Amino acid sequence: MVPAPVTDSISPTLAPSPQDLDNTAANLAGPAYRVILDSNIWIDILVFDDPVSRPIVEALKSGRLCALIDARCLAELTYVLDYPQFARHAIDKSQALARVAELSQQFSWTAPDDQPALPKCKDKDDQKFLELAQAASADWLVSKDRALLKLSRRTARDFGFQIGVPASFVAACGLEQDTAAAPPQTAT
């Protein structure tokens, strides 16, 4: 079951991006799903221009999705972009991070004392994505990380957000039609 999207795409803890202020037509089309993209999904978008991630990018641009990122997740992505295996792709790190800023909203938060405890992810480096999804009241956490994916039933049942791979996320949210007429993206 797909959770209902939130009716407001900007909560008081979010700083509106210029895209939000200029994208009123997209906001009139309906509520946006709040999503957290794991670093591997951002890498698919920024480095590999993965065809499976293209509907996600188009939905972010159109306002059908609202990607949220916090300082810890952005720090990890900044670090990951420097991995040697990406050097041959000649990615301009500052342009890549500018694209993240363009496609997402910075989310600042402090964990409340009364928040229910999340399940512990076997990969401790991925716990921050669960915590952000919970704090942001996200509808989805999109990842290809097995340790996170193993927690999908429990987070859906107990915490109200889905965890899924890009293809199942795109299908569940009906994003395939967003790219039917969209030209392929060029790598940044």
Side-chain angles (χ1 to χ4, degrees), residues 31-162:
Y33 286 104
R34 295 167 67 97
V35 298
I36 309 303
L37 304 178
D38 192 351
S39 294
N40 52 38
I41 306 307
W42 282 114
I43 293 298
D44 284 348
I45 291 168
L46 301 169
V47 177
F48 299 117
D49 186 29
D50 181 13
V52 176
S53 67
R54 288 179 190 157
I56 297 170
V57 173
E58 292 305 313
L60 290 169
K61 287 179 182 178
S62 72
R64 286 193 63 200
L65 296 178
C66 174
L68 304 171
I69 193 165
D70 68 4
R72 294 183 306 159
C73 297
L74 185 58
E76 178 181 293
L77 179 58
T78 302
Y79 179 76
V80 169
L81 283 168
D82 285 331
Y83 281 4
Q85 62 263 38
F86 303 137
R88 66 184 168 101
H89 295 279
I91 298 300
D92 181 322
K93 185 176 176 180
S94 62
Q95 284 182 347
L97 293 173
R99 188 157 186 224
V100 171
E102 181 182 301
L103 294 173
S104 67
Q105 292 182 17
Q106 185 74 29
F107 186 83
S108 300
W109 61 282
T110 305
D113 295 333
D114 61 345
Q115 197 165 35
L118 285 161
K120 296 293 181 199
C121 185
K122 283 189 178 184
D123 182 347
K124 293 177 185 177
D125 289 335
D126 287 331
Q127 189 69 28
K128 66 181 145 289
F129 296 104
L130 290 171
E131 292 167 358
L132 176 57
Q134 180 185 35
S137 299
D139 298 298
W140 282 87
L141 167 53
V142 185
S143 179
K144 294 189 284 184
D145 186 284
R146 287 183 186 155
L148 285 171
L149 294 168
K150 285 182 179 180
L151 301 173
S152 63
R153 286 187 185 182
R154 183 162 177 213
T155 60
R157 181 190 69 221
D158 297 342
F159 299 97
F161 63 90
Q162 304 285 327

Side-chain angles (χ1 to χ4, degrees), residues 9-11 14-27 32 60-63 65-68 101-106:
S9 62
I10 302 174
S11 74
L14 294 174
S17 70
Q19 177 185 357
D20 294 321
L21 300 175
D22 295 336
N23 205 8
T24 54
N27 290 334
L60 290 169
K61 287 179 182 178
S62 72
L65 296 178
C66 174
L68 304 171
E102 181 182 301
L103 294 173
S104 67
Q105 292 182 17
Q106 185 74 29

